[in-house]
Structures are given as C-alpha cells and as structure tokens.
Amino acid sequence: MTEQAVVGVGNQIMGDDGLSAAVLDLLREAGVDALPDVTLDHAGTTAFFALEAMDGADRAIVVDALQVAHSDPGETHRMVYRDGAFEGGTPDINMHDFSFAEALEAGAGAYEVPEEIVILGMTPKDLSAGLTLSEPVSENVGDLVELVRTELVRGGAAVPPIDGSVTAQ
C-alpha cells in the first residue's frame, strides 16, 4: 500500500494564502482523511513542518497558493519533485520561511523525504489580511480539489469522486 501525505501550506488569515486549508477542509468533508493510506496535514508557513508532515510517506502532495509569473488568479499549477530534483528545473517556490527546494536539500538528512512530491497550487489574487478567499480563487477551489484527488488515485488510493462544483466560503 502506498502511503500518501497531503500537506497544506499557507497562512489562513492572509486571504488566498488560506487556499490549502480550504482544500484540506473539502477533502475531509469528502471523507479522504478516513482512507488508511492517506494523511492530511496543514503545515502553516514553515517549510520544515511540511517536511515533518510528509516524513516517511511514499509520496506527498503539497498544496499552496503559488505566485507564478504570467498566470492569472485562480489558475492551477502542477510541479513534480522526483528522485532528488524538480522536473523541468527548480521552480521558485517560497514556503514563507524558506524556498521549498532549499528546505528539501537542508532536510534531506533529517527527514525521510518521499521520492515523489507533487506540488499543486493556484495563483492567488489577494494575500492581504482576511479570512476569505478572493472570487477567482474561491470559484476554482473545486478544480484544485479534483487535482489532489487525481494525484491520490494515481498513487493508488481509492478516493471516490468529489463534487467538483464545490466552492469554498
């Protein structure tokens, strides 16, 4: 059985940076946290907490609001870290306190990092203080939930379909 960790990263009181918490909430509502081979954790804004949450898993899926050049708010992104390197070059992903690539490198000896880490995210519109997601992000949260589900199924988890029309509050 492939153990998979879904790890949310972000600050829930900074608008769209709370995206991953909304995704994890929707996955929990769908019962994904009850699957024996899947864990759901929120690491806040600390890259090493993210490494801790995926420590020992066979595979990890990291969810975060990602600033990606030339993309529109609400647009989803997928990046893969496999066998010690990012496919297509190292992306500039900042996990608030560290770049993710730096955290992976620094934590390699202290944590049992999965061979494959899939990073799924969405371009934010508003990262100012607030408890709600912006309209373009909120409207597309269901798409991101479906991407997480697809990755979990790809990793061998028996995840039932999740209503893709879900919109976070």
Side-chain angles (χ1 to χ4, degrees), residues 4-8 54 59-63 116-120 147-153:
Q4 299 183 84
V6 180
V7 182
M54 66 180 77
R59 189 167 184 266
I61 301 164
V62 176
V63 181
E116 180 179 70
I117 301 170
V118 177
I119 300 164
L120 299 174
L147 288 175
V148 173
R149 180 193 169 280
T150 298
E151 289 298 334
L152 288 169
V153 169

Side-chain angles (χ1 to χ4, degrees), residues 84-169:
F86 280 95
E87 292 178 355
T90 304
D92 184 21
I93 303 171
N94 186 323
M95 293 226 168
H96 307 271
D97 63 339
F98 248 84
S99 84
F100 193 52
E102 290 170 334
L104 286 168
E105 186 177 310
Y111 299 98
E112 187 181 331
V113 177
E115 290 181 21
E116 180 179 70
I117 301 170
V118 177
I119 300 164
L120 299 174
M122 187 180 296
T123 304
K125 178 180 181 183
D126 183 7
L127 296 174
S128 62
L131 298 174
T132 59
L133 301 175
S134 68
E135 187 175 323
V137 169
S138 180
E139 288 175 352
N140 293 297
V141 167
D143 294 341
L144 192 54
V145 169
E146 182 57 29
L147 288 175
V148 173
R149 180 193 169 280
T150 298
E151 289 298 334
L152 288 169
V153 169
R154 185 176 288 137
V159 183
I162 299 172
D163 182 4
S165 66
V166 173
T167 302
Q169 301 299 327

